[in-house]
Amino acid sequence: MTTRLTFHGPLSSARADTIVGRLSANRPHTVLDIGCGWGELLLRVLEAVPEARGTGVDLNETDLGRGRRSAEERGLAGRVAFLAESARDTAHGPADLVLCLGATQALSDADCPTPEALRSLRRLVTDHGRVLLGEGVWDRRPTPAELAGMWPGAAESDHLTLPALLDLAVESGFRPEWTETATLPEWEEFESGCQADQEVWLAANPDAVEVRERLDRHRAQWMSYRGILGMAYLTLVPVRDWTA
Ligand SMILES: C[S@@+](CC[C@H](N)C(=O)[O-])C[C@H]1O[C@@H](n2cnc3c(N)ncnc32)[C@H](O)[C@@H]1O
């Protein structure tokens, strides 16, 4: 399903390279990836920082397997563990670099980023470390009609705006070192890459009703949030001696 994707989100290789450069400059020895999936960014950080060791936690065995195979192929298997476990109340950390890309839901009961999730990230990072938070934000507030076309039960409360996300990070013990948001081409590459293999298969198997309905439904949803749902990448610096 995801053979066309390098990252499991709207992230170009060019932006990833810049992010990895910034994060590597802080010379992390330990990297913890919350809801790592197949951990492409984690592996790129380990390639850039030979003394670093990484831990990725996720519940999805298929994605973890892709991460382990990729680590093996790149000679990184001895420096990274892809663990099948929940990130909620994780015993791993604190780490010098914490990655949390599209995965704050792993740190609290809510689907949108909460003070609880951000405070968890603050506890999981060492005082001199960094957090890279990748989080969906509203690029503009959706109308009720637009929300009705998105995912089932979509609500404005599912995401914050970029200013509100930054405020939440600051209130949770961080300063934003770098703030950036995914571009429309990054979204288009991601959304196309998610569906491309199945679209090509469906064209050759046009009687597969279930697949056609699923792809048509997803396309309609994506067209409803295209240009409205954004993705913020925040490089966060922990404030020293911060207490919740
Ligand atoms: C949108 S994906 C992002 C994956 C990865 N961070 C990336 O950017 O490629 C969200 C991930 O969070 C994981 N996840 C959700 N709840 C989790 C939990 N409680 N503990 C660990 N991982 C969780 C999912 O399995 C999924 O792989």
Side-chain angles (χ1 to χ4, degrees):
M1 178 190 162
T2 48
T3 64
R4 307 273 194 116
L5 293 179
T6 304
F7 297 98
H8 194 175
L11 177 64
S12 64
S13 278
R15 186 188 305 284
D17 287 348
T18 311
I19 289 175
V20 168
R22 186 182 313 121
L23 299 176
S24 308
N26 204 43
R27 305 315 294 178
H29 285 267
T30 49
V31 187
L32 175 62
D33 193 344
I34 299 293
C36 60
W38 58 84
E40 177 62 27
L41 201 75
L42 168 62
L43 295 177
R44 290 188 184 204
V45 171
L46 296 183
E47 283 172 328
V49 189
E51 64 271 28
R53 306 183 73 84
T55 304
V57 294
D58 204 293
L59 299 169
N60 185 318
E61 281 287 4
T62 307
D63 289 351
L64 288 166
R66 175 172 167 177
R68 289 183 196 116
R69 282 193 301 281
S70 187
E72 195 73 49
E73 285 160 15
R74 293 148 88 162
L76 296 170
R79 289 200 282 132
V80 66
F82 282 96
L83 305 177
E85 57 185 52
S86 177
R88 189 77 194 267
D89 301 321
T90 182
H92 303 286
D96 299 329
L97 172 59
V98 179
L99 308 175
C100 184
L101 299 171
T104 48
Q105 71 275 17
L107 295 173
S108 80
D109 286 331
D111 283 337
C112 89
T114 57
E116 182 190 1
L118 269 286
R119 280 197 297 263
S120 292
L121 289 173
R122 179 62 187 83
R123 277 193 299 274
L124 287 170
V125 68
T126 55
D127 272 351
H128 299 270
R130 294 288 185 275
V131 169
L132 178 71
L133 174 63
E135 185 63 44
V137 289
W138 294 124
D139 276 347
R140 71 165 171 77
R141 288 188 191 282
T143 66
E146 287 165 343
L147 278 171
M150 298 183 187
W151 49 93
E156 197 180 315
S157 58
D158 289 350
H159 295 285
L160 300 174
T161 60
L162 178 61
L165 180 65
L166 282 162
D167 285 349
L168 181 60
V170 168
E171 285 156 17
S172 306
F174 294 104
R175 300 302 306 181
E177 179 184 2
W178 214 266
T179 300
E180 54 200 305
T181 52
T183 60
L184 196 53
E186 285 174 294
W187 272 102
E188 289 172 343
E189 186 178 340
F190 169 57
E191 292 288 348
S192 299
C194 281
Q195 316 299 334
D197 287 346
Q198 295 171 84
E199 289 289 3
V200 171
W201 181 88
L202 180 61
N205 300 273
D207 296 334
V209 177
E210 237 179 77
V211 177
R212 188 174 67 239
E213 285 177 354
R214 179 157 42 79
L215 290 176
D216 287 347
R217 194 164 50 243
H218 181 80
R219 192 181 68 256
Q221 290 171 356
W222 145 235
M223 285 300 117
S224 297
Y225 58 76
R226 179 178 179 275
I228 300 173
L229 178 62
M231 174 65 83
Y233 297 103
L234 307 183
T235 301
L236 300 173
V237 189
V239 173
R240 297 281 161 82
D241 304 323
W242 179 83
T243 43

